[in-house]
Structure formats: C-alpha cells, structure tokens
Amino acid sequence: MMPWFKRVEKGIITPTEEKKETPDGLWYKCPDCKTVTSMTEHRKNLKTCVKCNYHDRIGSKEYFAILFDDNKFTEMDEDMSSGDPLNFIDSKPYPQRTAETQRKTGLKDAVRTAYGKSGGRDITIACMDFAYIGGSMGSVVGEKIARAIDHARKTRTPFMMISKSGGARMMEAGFSLMQMAKTSAKLALLSEEKLPYVSLLTDPTTGGVTASYAMLGDFNIAEPGSLIGFAGPRVIKETIGKDLPKGFQSAEFVLEHGFLDFIVDRKELKQRLVDLLGMIMPATEETNGTAKTQKADKSS
Ligand SMILES: [Zn+2]
C-alpha cells in the first residue's frame, strides 16, 4: 500500500501569494495574568483583559472609535508634520526618524485632533499616540492641541485630551518644552470662557505632558493601572535615596493621593463622559443657541 502521506502528483507548487499563513496576532496573551483570548474577543472587549481587566495600550484610532458616535469625526491638521529646527542627530538624523516612523505607524505625529459628536453632543478631542516616538511632545503636538482648543472655544464645545506620553521630545529640545506653556495658556482661555476640559490620562503619562496639559483638566481621570508621574521611579529613587512605596505612580496610587478625580474602565468611558458632560453642560441644541446669542451680542 501507498503511505497516506505520499504525494502522488508531483510538481504541485503553491505560489507565495496564495499561501495561507496564520494571521499575526490571532491570539492575545495578557501580560499581567497570562490569560489567552482570541484577538476578536480582545478587540470586542476594547482591548482590556477578560479576566483581570488589564488595559492594553491603544491609540487614537481606537479611542476615536470608542468615543465618537458611529466612529464619525472630522480630523483637523491631518498633515501637520515636524521640521528639524535643531538639525538633531542621535542614532540617526531626526528627519530620517520622522520619515521612518511615519511610514511604520501611518501617523504624521504623536497626536491626532478631531471634532464630532459623542452621545449626540458636540465635542473636540485630542488623542496622543504612543506608537509615534513614544508619544513624545514636540512642536506639532503642541500646535495641534492648541488649535484643537481654539476650535473648542470657537464652537463652544467641551474639550477632551487623551494623554499617552513619555514626555517632551528630545529631538526638539527647548521647542518641546515651550509647548507646555503654549498648551497651558490655551487651556486657561478655555477655562475663562467656561468650557469644560476633561483630561484622560492613560498608560503611560509622564514628564512634560503630566507637568502641563494632562493635569490641568476640570476633571483629571485615568484608566486603571496607568503609570502616571513626572520623573521615572528609578530617577526618583536615586534622588531621594529611599525605597518607593508599593504601587507608586499607578493611577490608583495617584488617585488615593488626591491628584485624580476618578478612574474609569475603558468599557465605561463613553457613558461616563456623556454623563459627566450632561451634568455640566446644557444639551447640544441649547449650546448652539448660546453660541449664536453670544455672537449676536458681540456684533451688536
Ligand atoms: Zn489579564
């Protein structure tokens, strides 16, 4: 008898493009509790662990899909991209790093800004992307956030910032640091005009971002388990020469010490946001009415 595994016909070749490969990332293994789930299930759960609720990092694409009704929004300053004011070179020249990162991530910089409706209410949202040079804050990040705040002011809509950042961008040095003042000044204007600002801190939110816009919200909220801090734990430990308490710089620790208003599960984020804004802002129709009245007042 012929062995069952013997190939009878010779020369059967499958062209490379027809070969079926196991798709990448078909399964997700939680880095915390090691539970394995299908990627479909993981996505359905908004990339939080089904067992321990570990919040996996996501980007602006996912946050926009979660928050904007039917994932419909208008993006602002989509093509804004950074220059190289300092002719900065580390392991490679900055323009080369920019080009490569843009190609790899499909992003133009570390923040995306958009407006649309959330729960039927107009809102302007800026969301950082950690995949773009560690979500670092450079001139483009600062400028896009500043313009998004201006848009919120112009349309009298609430502003939401979703931070996820390693801090200021080294390649733009001083120019990065100036963004802290610029965004803070714009937020002060937003506040003067009595428009709400909700700041969501996600894993990780550190450095100059924590020291500026991330902590300036009327509501500073965070995802569970996020690392939130200014300097890293190692630097602090070396500076003060003491061991740090357990859970130091976790969202829960920061909440307990009074720097956050509440922690929100990603699966409840949209509803919590809608409820929160519903309490402090009148309904959309009324808001539009107010804007029109105010314009009329100014022109008269
Ligand atoms: Zn888990």
Side-chain angles (χ1 to χ4, degrees):
M1 256 183 85
M2 198 193 339
W4 63 269
F5 52 82
K6 185 162 174 152
R7 181 169 262 194
V8 185
E9 285 180 54
K10 288 209 167 111
I12 297 174
I13 294 159
T14 313
T16 313
E17 59 269 24
E18 280 176 31
K19 276 181 187 157
K20 288 199 175 72
E21 283 174 31
T22 316
D24 264 344
L26 195 57
W27 298 98
Y28 171 76
K29 186 179 183 185
C30 172
D32 208 10
C33 75
K34 317 287 178 215
T35 300
V36 175
T37 42
S38 73
M39 207 58 211
T40 317
E41 189 68 24
H42 188 50
R43 248 184 250 117
K44 219 190 295 174
N45 220 31
L46 304 182
K47 300 205 174 170
T48 60
C49 175
V50 286
K51 194 167 176 219
C52 74
N53 205 27
Y54 171 83
H55 280 46
D56 204 5
R57 279 180 195 166
I58 57 171
S60 59
K61 185 168 169 266
E62 286 97 340
Y63 281 110
F64 285 170
I66 291 170
L67 292 169
F68 285 118
D69 297 348
D70 306 316
N71 198 16
K72 268 194 262 173
F73 56 87
T74 307
E75 188 166 349
M76 292 177 279
D77 306 305
E78 263 177 280
D79 294 320
M80 197 188 287
S81 176
S82 57
D84 184 19
L86 306 173
N87 300 313
F88 194 92
I89 303 172
D90 50 293
S91 61
K92 57 183 103 160
Y94 183 37
Q96 191 190 332
R97 185 180 297 281
T98 301
E100 283 171 11
T101 312
Q102 287 179 342
R103 200 170 50 238
K104 212 168 58 192
T105 60
L107 299 160
K108 285 279 168 10
D109 211 290
V111 76
R112 284 172 70 215
T113 53
Y115 59 89
K117 285 189 189 297
S118 186
R121 172 189 303 280
D122 287 311
I123 188 167
T124 310
I125 304 178
C127 181
M128 300 191 77
D129 279 292
F130 197 75
Y132 195 98
I133 319 185
S136 51
M137 173 185 57
S139 314
V140 172
V141 168
E143 181 62 19
K144 282 176 86 167
I145 292 172
R147 289 185 188 196
I149 298 167
D150 279 341
H151 180 267
R153 293 170 56 213
K154 203 175 74 195
T155 54
R156 295 203 57 79
T157 50
F159 177 64
M160 181 182 195
M161 179 76 228
I162 302 170
S163 296
K164 188 181 283 290
S165 175
R169 186 172 303 166
M170 173 178 77
M171 301 81 173
E172 295 182 29
F175 291 97
S176 296
L177 300 181
M178 289 174 200
Q179 308 312 313
M180 295 168 69
K182 178 156 91 183
T183 51
S184 303
K186 287 287 183 191
L187 286 170
L189 294 175
L190 188 78
S191 171
E192 264 173 40
E193 290 161 24
K194 305 222 177 316
L195 289 162
Y197 169 35
V198 178
S199 173
L200 174 68
L201 293 83
T202 71
D203 184 62
T205 300
T206 60
V209 170
T210 308
S212 60
Y213 53 82
M215 280 296 187
L216 291 173
D218 296 309
F219 296 92
N220 296 323
I221 63 180
E223 285 192 342
S226 310
L227 173 82
I228 297 167
F230 180 64
R234 192 178 45 84
V235 175
I236 300 174
K237 196 178 159 181
E238 278 168 12
T239 309
I240 63 173
K242 274 184 197 167
D243 280 333
L244 298 167
K246 200 169 168 282
F248 179 69
Q249 292 185 327
S250 69
E252 290 73 11
F253 187 94
V254 177
L255 174 76
E256 204 184 315
H257 289 79
F259 289 97
L260 288 174
D261 293 294
F262 57 87
I263 291 174
V264 60
D265 190 302
R266 191 179 294 157
K267 296 180 286 302
E268 292 162 11
L269 175 63
K270 186 173 182 181
Q271 193 55 55
R272 289 292 292 275
L273 177 72
V274 170
D275 290 348
L276 188 63
L277 293 176
M279 278 191 281
I280 53 178
M281 292 277 283
T284 305
E285 288 79 11
E286 287 173 54
T287 313
N288 289 343
T290 315
K292 272 177 205 140
T293 318
Q294 288 198 341
K295 257 185 213 154
D297 286 346
K298 272 179 199 157
S299 59
S300 63

Short mmCIF file of all heavy atoms in Angstrom, two decimals, residues 226-275:
data_model
loop_
_atom_site.label_atom_id
_atom_site.label_comp_id
_atom_site.label_asym_id
_atom_site.label_seq_id
_atom_site.Cartn_x
_atom_site.Cartn_y
_atom_site.Cartn_z
N SER A 226 -2.75 52.69 34.96
CA SER A 226 -1.83 53.52 34.16
C SER A 226 -0.66 54.02 35.00
O SER A 226 -0.83 54.35 36.16
CB SER A 226 -2.56 54.76 33.63
OG SER A 226 -3.75 54.41 33.01
N LEU A 227 0.49 54.10 34.37
CA LEU A 227 1.64 54.73 35.02
C LEU A 227 1.48 56.24 34.83
O LEU A 227 1.37 56.72 33.71
CB LEU A 227 2.94 54.25 34.38
CG LEU A 227 4.20 54.97 34.87
CD1 LEU A 227 4.69 54.38 36.18
CD2 LEU A 227 5.31 54.91 33.83
N ILE A 228 1.46 56.95 35.94
CA ILE A 228 1.32 58.40 35.88
C ILE A 228 2.38 59.03 36.77
O ILE A 228 2.49 58.69 37.95
CB ILE A 228 -0.09 58.85 36.35
CG1 ILE A 228 -1.17 58.27 35.41
CG2 ILE A 228 -0.20 60.36 36.42
CD1 ILE A 228 -2.58 58.37 35.94
N GLY A 229 3.17 59.91 36.20
CA GLY A 229 4.20 60.52 37.03
C GLY A 229 4.93 61.59 36.26
O GLY A 229 4.60 61.90 35.11
N PHE A 230 5.94 62.19 36.90
CA PHE A 230 6.77 63.16 36.19
C PHE A 230 8.08 62.46 35.83
O PHE A 230 8.25 62.01 34.71
CB PHE A 230 6.99 64.42 37.03
CG PHE A 230 7.84 65.44 36.32
CD1 PHE A 230 7.39 66.03 35.14
CD2 PHE A 230 9.09 65.78 36.81
CE1 PHE A 230 8.18 66.95 34.47
CE2 PHE A 230 9.88 66.70 36.13
CZ PHE A 230 9.43 67.28 34.97
N ALA A 231 8.98 62.33 36.77
CA ALA A 231 10.21 61.57 36.52
C ALA A 231 9.94 60.09 36.75
O ALA A 231 8.98 59.72 37.41
CB ALA A 231 11.30 62.05 37.46
N GLY A 232 10.75 59.24 36.18
CA GLY A 232 10.60 57.80 36.36
C GLY A 232 10.97 57.38 37.77
O GLY A 232 11.71 58.07 38.46
N PRO A 233 10.45 56.20 38.22
CA PRO A 233 10.72 55.73 39.58
C PRO A 233 12.22 55.58 39.90
O PRO A 233 12.65 55.88 41.01
CB PRO A 233 10.02 54.38 39.65
CG PRO A 233 9.38 54.14 38.35
CD PRO A 233 9.57 55.32 37.47
N ARG A 234 13.00 55.15 38.92
CA ARG A 234 14.43 54.93 39.16
C ARG A 234 15.12 56.25 39.50
O ARG A 234 15.90 56.35 40.44
CB ARG A 234 15.06 54.27 37.93
CG ARG A 234 16.47 53.75 38.17
CD ARG A 234 17.01 53.07 36.91
NE ARG A 234 16.74 53.85 35.70
CZ ARG A 234 17.51 54.87 35.28
NH1 ARG A 234 18.58 55.21 35.94
NH2 ARG A 234 17.20 55.53 34.18
N VAL A 235 14.80 57.27 38.73
CA VAL A 235 15.40 58.59 38.93
C VAL A 235 15.05 59.13 40.32
O VAL A 235 15.90 59.64 41.05
CB VAL A 235 14.93 59.59 37.83
CG1 VAL A 235 15.44 61.00 38.10
CG2 VAL A 235 15.38 59.11 36.46
N ILE A 236 13.77 58.97 40.70
CA ILE A 236 13.32 59.46 41.99
C ILE A 236 14.02 58.71 43.12
O ILE A 236 14.51 59.31 44.08
CB ILE A 236 11.79 59.33 42.14
CG1 ILE A 236 11.09 60.14 41.05
CG2 ILE A 236 11.32 59.77 43.52
CD1 ILE A 236 9.60 59.97 40.99
N LYS A 237 14.11 57.40 42.97
CA LYS A 237 14.73 56.57 43.99
C LYS A 237 16.20 56.98 44.20
O LYS A 237 16.67 57.10 45.33
CB LYS A 237 14.65 55.10 43.55
CG LYS A 237 14.90 54.13 44.68
CD LYS A 237 14.75 52.71 44.20
CE LYS A 237 15.49 51.78 45.16
NZ LYS A 237 15.41 50.38 44.75
N GLU A 238 16.88 57.23 43.10
CA GLU A 238 18.28 57.64 43.19
C GLU A 238 18.41 59.03 43.81
O GLU A 238 19.36 59.31 44.52
CB GLU A 238 18.92 57.64 41.79
CG GLU A 238 19.36 56.25 41.37
CD GLU A 238 19.72 56.17 39.89
OE1 GLU A 238 19.85 57.23 39.25
OE2 GLU A 238 19.84 55.04 39.39
N THR A 239 17.43 59.91 43.52
CA THR A 239 17.49 61.27 44.03
C THR A 239 17.23 61.32 45.53
O THR A 239 17.97 61.96 46.28
CB THR A 239 16.46 62.16 43.30
OG1 THR A 239 16.65 62.00 41.90
CG2 THR A 239 16.62 63.62 43.68
N ILE A 240 16.17 60.64 45.97
CA ILE A 240 15.81 60.75 47.39
C ILE A 240 16.51 59.68 48.24
O ILE A 240 16.49 59.74 49.45
CB ILE A 240 14.28 60.70 47.63
CG1 ILE A 240 13.68 59.36 47.18
CG2 ILE A 240 13.58 61.86 46.92
CD1 ILE A 240 12.21 59.19 47.55
N GLY A 241 17.11 58.68 47.57
CA GLY A 241 17.85 57.64 48.28
C GLY A 241 16.98 56.80 49.20
O GLY A 241 17.40 56.36 50.25
N LYS A 242 15.72 56.63 48.83
CA LYS A 242 14.80 55.83 49.65
C LYS A 242 14.03 54.89 48.74
O LYS A 242 13.82 55.20 47.56
CB LYS A 242 13.77 56.74 50.34
CG LYS A 242 14.23 57.33 51.64
CD LYS A 242 13.07 58.12 52.23
CE LYS A 242 13.58 59.08 53.32
NZ LYS A 242 12.57 60.06 53.68
N ASP A 243 13.57 53.78 49.31
CA ASP A 243 12.71 52.89 48.53
C ASP A 243 11.34 53.53 48.35
O ASP A 243 10.87 54.23 49.24
CB ASP A 243 12.56 51.53 49.24
CG ASP A 243 13.79 50.66 48.97
OD1 ASP A 243 14.42 50.87 47.90
OD2 ASP A 243 14.14 49.82 49.82
N LEU A 244 10.75 53.28 47.20
CA LEU A 244 9.45 53.89 46.93
C LEU A 244 8.33 52.97 47.39
O LEU A 244 8.48 51.76 47.37
CB LEU A 244 9.33 54.16 45.42
CG LEU A 244 10.38 55.14 44.88
CD1 LEU A 244 10.40 55.12 43.36
CD2 LEU A 244 10.12 56.55 45.38
N PRO A 245 7.20 53.56 47.82
CA PRO A 245 6.09 52.71 48.27
C PRO A 245 5.54 51.84 47.14
O PRO A 245 5.73 52.15 45.96
CB PRO A 245 5.03 53.72 48.74
CG PRO A 245 5.42 55.03 48.16
CD PRO A 245 6.89 54.99 47.89
N LYS A 246 4.86 50.78 47.52
CA LYS A 246 4.31 49.84 46.55
C LYS A 246 3.24 50.54 45.69
O LYS A 246 2.48 51.34 46.18
CB LYS A 246 3.69 48.65 47.30
CG LYS A 246 3.50 47.41 46.46
CD LYS A 246 3.13 46.22 47.36
CE LYS A 246 2.66 45.05 46.53
NZ LYS A 246 1.26 45.22 46.07
N GLY A 247 3.25 50.22 44.42
CA GLY A 247 2.24 50.79 43.52
C GLY A 247 2.45 52.25 43.22
O GLY A 247 1.60 52.90 42.64
N PHE A 248 3.60 52.79 43.61
CA PHE A 248 3.95 54.18 43.38
C PHE A 248 3.77 54.54 41.90
O PHE A 248 4.20 53.79 41.03
CB PHE A 248 5.41 54.37 43.82
CG PHE A 248 5.94 55.76 43.63
CD1 PHE A 248 5.48 56.81 44.40
CD2 PHE A 248 6.92 56.01 42.68
CE1 PHE A 248 5.99 58.09 44.24
CE2 PHE A 248 7.43 57.29 42.50
CZ PHE A 248 6.97 58.32 43.28
N GLN A 249 3.12 55.67 41.62
CA GLN A 249 2.87 56.15 40.26
C GLN A 249 1.84 55.35 39.47
O GLN A 249 1.71 55.51 38.28
CB GLN A 249 4.17 56.26 39.44
CG GLN A 249 5.08 57.36 39.97
CD GLN A 249 6.31 57.57 39.12
OE1 GLN A 249 6.82 56.62 38.54
NE2 GLN A 249 6.78 58.79 39.05
N SER A 250 1.10 54.48 40.14
CA SER A 250 -0.02 53.85 39.44
C SER A 250 -1.20 54.79 39.55
O SER A 250 -1.26 55.61 40.48
CB SER A 250 -0.38 52.50 40.07
OG SER A 250 -0.95 52.71 41.35
N ALA A 251 -2.14 54.69 38.62
CA ALA A 251 -3.32 55.56 38.65
C ALA A 251 -4.01 55.48 40.01
O ALA A 251 -4.44 56.50 40.56
CB ALA A 251 -4.29 55.16 37.54
N GLU A 252 -4.07 54.26 40.58
CA GLU A 252 -4.76 54.05 41.86
C GLU A 252 -4.06 54.81 42.98
O GLU A 252 -4.70 55.42 43.84
CB GLU A 252 -4.80 52.54 42.18
CG GLU A 252 -5.74 51.74 41.27
CD GLU A 252 -5.21 51.54 39.84
OE1 GLU A 252 -4.02 51.84 39.57
OE2 GLU A 252 -5.99 51.10 38.98
N PHE A 253 -2.72 54.79 42.98
CA PHE A 253 -1.91 55.50 43.98
C PHE A 253 -2.10 57.00 43.83
O PHE A 253 -2.30 57.72 44.81
CB PHE A 253 -0.43 55.12 43.77
CG PHE A 253 0.50 55.64 44.82
CD1 PHE A 253 0.84 54.87 45.93
CD2 PHE A 253 1.07 56.91 44.70
CE1 PHE A 253 1.73 55.35 46.90
CE2 PHE A 253 1.94 57.40 45.66
CZ PHE A 253 2.28 56.62 46.76
N VAL A 254 -2.08 57.46 42.58
CA VAL A 254 -2.22 58.89 42.30
C VAL A 254 -3.61 59.38 42.72
O VAL A 254 -3.77 60.47 43.26
CB VAL A 254 -1.95 59.17 40.80
CG1 VAL A 254 -2.15 60.64 40.45
CG2 VAL A 254 -0.52 58.76 40.43
N LEU A 255 -4.62 58.54 42.50
CA LEU A 255 -5.99 58.87 42.91
C LEU A 255 -6.08 59.01 44.43
O LEU A 255 -6.61 59.98 44.95
CB LEU A 255 -6.96 57.77 42.44
CG LEU A 255 -8.42 57.90 42.91
CD1 LEU A 255 -9.17 58.97 42.12
CD2 LEU A 255 -9.16 56.57 42.78
N GLU A 256 -5.49 58.02 45.10
CA GLU A 256 -5.52 57.99 46.56
C GLU A 256 -4.86 59.24 47.15
O GLU A 256 -5.23 59.70 48.23
CB GLU A 256 -4.80 56.73 47.03
CG GLU A 256 -5.19 56.24 48.39
CD GLU A 256 -4.35 55.04 48.81
OE1 GLU A 256 -4.16 54.14 47.96
OE2 GLU A 256 -3.85 55.03 49.93
N HIS A 257 -3.88 59.79 46.42
CA HIS A 257 -3.17 60.97 46.92
C HIS A 257 -3.76 62.27 46.38
O HIS A 257 -3.13 63.33 46.48
CB HIS A 257 -1.68 60.85 46.62
CG HIS A 257 -1.03 59.81 47.47
ND1 HIS A 257 -1.13 58.47 47.18
CD2 HIS A 257 -0.33 59.90 48.62
CE1 HIS A 257 -0.51 57.78 48.12
NE2 HIS A 257 -0.01 58.63 49.00
N GLY A 258 -4.94 62.17 45.81
CA GLY A 258 -5.70 63.38 45.50
C GLY A 258 -5.40 64.07 44.18
O GLY A 258 -5.82 65.19 43.97
N PHE A 259 -4.65 63.42 43.30
CA PHE A 259 -4.32 64.08 42.04
C PHE A 259 -5.24 63.69 40.87
O PHE A 259 -5.08 64.19 39.77
CB PHE A 259 -2.86 63.82 41.66
CG PHE A 259 -1.90 64.53 42.56
CD1 PHE A 259 -1.32 63.88 43.65
CD2 PHE A 259 -1.58 65.86 42.32
CE1 PHE A 259 -0.44 64.55 44.49
CE2 PHE A 259 -0.70 66.53 43.15
CZ PHE A 259 -0.13 65.88 44.25
N LEU A 260 -6.17 62.77 41.15
CA LEU A 260 -7.11 62.38 40.10
C LEU A 260 -8.53 62.46 40.66
O LEU A 260 -8.74 62.33 41.87
CB LEU A 260 -6.85 60.93 39.65
CG LEU A 260 -5.61 60.63 38.82
CD1 LEU A 260 -5.49 59.13 38.61
CD2 LEU A 260 -5.65 61.34 37.47
N ASP A 261 -9.51 62.65 39.76
CA ASP A 261 -10.89 62.69 40.21
C ASP A 261 -11.51 61.30 40.26
O ASP A 261 -12.19 60.96 41.19
CB ASP A 261 -11.70 63.63 39.32
CG ASP A 261 -11.24 65.06 39.51
OD1 ASP A 261 -11.43 65.58 40.61
OD2 ASP A 261 -10.65 65.63 38.58
N PHE A 262 -11.28 60.53 39.24
CA PHE A 262 -11.71 59.13 39.29
C PHE A 262 -10.99 58.31 38.24
O PHE A 262 -10.37 58.84 37.32
CB PHE A 262 -13.24 58.99 39.18
CG PHE A 262 -13.87 59.58 37.94
CD1 PHE A 262 -13.98 58.86 36.76
CD2 PHE A 262 -14.38 60.89 37.98
CE1 PHE A 262 -14.58 59.41 35.64
CE2 PHE A 262 -15.00 61.44 36.84
CZ PHE A 262 -15.09 60.70 35.67
N ILE A 263 -11.10 56.99 38.41
CA ILE A 263 -10.52 56.04 37.46
C ILE A 263 -11.68 55.46 36.67
O ILE A 263 -12.72 55.14 37.24
CB ILE A 263 -9.71 54.96 38.19
CG1 ILE A 263 -8.45 55.61 38.79
CG2 ILE A 263 -9.35 53.80 37.26
CD1 ILE A 263 -7.62 54.70 39.65
N VAL A 264 -11.49 55.37 35.37
CA VAL A 264 -12.60 54.90 34.56
C VAL A 264 -12.17 53.70 33.71
O VAL A 264 -11.12 53.71 33.06
CB VAL A 264 -13.18 56.05 33.69
CG1 VAL A 264 -12.15 56.65 32.77
CG2 VAL A 264 -14.39 55.60 32.91
N ASP A 265 -13.00 52.66 33.77
CA ASP A 265 -12.80 51.48 32.95
C ASP A 265 -13.07 51.88 31.49
O ASP A 265 -14.03 52.59 31.22
CB ASP A 265 -13.81 50.41 33.40
CG ASP A 265 -13.54 49.06 32.79
OD1 ASP A 265 -13.52 48.97 31.53
OD2 ASP A 265 -13.35 48.10 33.54
N ARG A 266 -12.21 51.44 30.58
CA ARG A 266 -12.36 51.82 29.18
C ARG A 266 -13.75 51.45 28.62
O ARG A 266 -14.29 52.13 27.78
CB ARG A 266 -11.26 51.16 28.35
CG ARG A 266 -11.16 51.67 26.93
CD ARG A 266 -10.03 50.98 26.20
NE ARG A 266 -8.73 51.31 26.75
CZ ARG A 266 -7.65 50.53 26.61
NH1 ARG A 266 -7.73 49.40 25.95
NH2 ARG A 266 -6.49 50.89 27.13
N LYS A 267 -14.29 50.37 29.11
CA LYS A 267 -15.58 49.90 28.61
C LYS A 267 -16.72 50.82 29.05
O LYS A 267 -17.80 50.79 28.49
CB LYS A 267 -15.83 48.45 29.07
CG LYS A 267 -14.80 47.47 28.49
CD LYS A 267 -15.02 46.03 28.93
CE LYS A 267 -14.61 45.76 30.39
NZ LYS A 267 -13.19 46.05 30.71
N GLU A 268 -16.45 51.63 30.08
CA GLU A 268 -17.47 52.57 30.57
C GLU A 268 -17.14 54.01 30.20
O GLU A 268 -17.87 54.94 30.55
CB GLU A 268 -17.60 52.46 32.09
CG GLU A 268 -18.18 51.14 32.55
CD GLU A 268 -17.90 50.87 34.02
OE1 GLU A 268 -17.45 51.79 34.72
OE2 GLU A 268 -18.12 49.72 34.45
N LEU A 269 -16.01 54.19 29.52
CA LEU A 269 -15.50 55.55 29.26
C LEU A 269 -16.52 56.45 28.57
O LEU A 269 -16.78 57.57 29.03
CB LEU A 269 -14.21 55.46 28.43
CG LEU A 269 -13.60 56.79 27.98
CD1 LEU A 269 -13.20 57.64 29.18
CD2 LEU A 269 -12.39 56.56 27.08
N LYS A 270 -17.10 55.97 27.49
CA LYS A 270 -18.01 56.84 26.74
C LYS A 270 -19.21 57.25 27.58
O LYS A 270 -19.56 58.42 27.65
CB LYS A 270 -18.48 56.16 25.45
CG LYS A 270 -19.30 57.12 24.61
CD LYS A 270 -19.66 56.58 23.26
CE LYS A 270 -20.45 57.63 22.49
NZ LYS A 270 -20.86 57.17 21.17
N GLN A 271 -19.82 56.26 28.25
CA GLN A 271 -21.00 56.58 29.05
C GLN A 271 -20.65 57.55 30.18
O GLN A 271 -21.39 58.50 30.45
CB GLN A 271 -21.61 55.28 29.63
CG GLN A 271 -23.00 55.47 30.21
CD GLN A 271 -23.98 56.09 29.21
OE1 GLN A 271 -24.16 55.57 28.11
NE2 GLN A 271 -24.59 57.22 29.57
N ARG A 272 -19.50 57.35 30.80
CA ARG A 272 -19.08 58.24 31.90
C ARG A 272 -18.87 59.66 31.39
O ARG A 272 -19.24 60.64 32.03
CB ARG A 272 -17.78 57.73 32.57
CG ARG A 272 -17.94 56.47 33.39
CD ARG A 272 -18.77 56.63 34.66
NE ARG A 272 -18.19 57.45 35.70
CZ ARG A 272 -17.32 57.01 36.61
NH1 ARG A 272 -16.95 55.74 36.60
NH2 ARG A 272 -16.84 57.81 37.53
N LEU A 273 -18.28 59.76 30.20
CA LEU A 273 -18.02 61.08 29.61
C LEU A 273 -19.34 61.78 29.28
O LEU A 273 -19.53 62.96 29.60
CB LEU A 273 -17.18 60.92 28.33
CG LEU A 273 -16.89 62.21 27.56
CD1 LEU A 273 -15.88 63.07 28.32
CD2 LEU A 273 -16.37 61.92 26.16
N VAL A 274 -20.25 61.02 28.66
CA VAL A 274 -21.55 61.58 28.29
C VAL A 274 -22.30 62.05 29.54
O VAL A 274 -22.85 63.15 29.58
CB VAL A 274 -22.37 60.54 27.48
CG1 VAL A 274 -23.81 61.00 27.28
CG2 VAL A 274 -21.71 60.29 26.13
N ASP A 275 -22.29 61.22 30.60
CA ASP A 275 -22.96 61.57 31.86
C ASP A 275 -22.35 62.84 32.46
O ASP A 275 -23.04 63.74 32.90
CB ASP A 275 -22.85 60.43 32.87
CG ASP A 275 -23.69 59.22 32.45
OD1 ASP A 275 -24.51 59.37 31.53
OD2 ASP A 275 -23.50 58.14 33.04
#
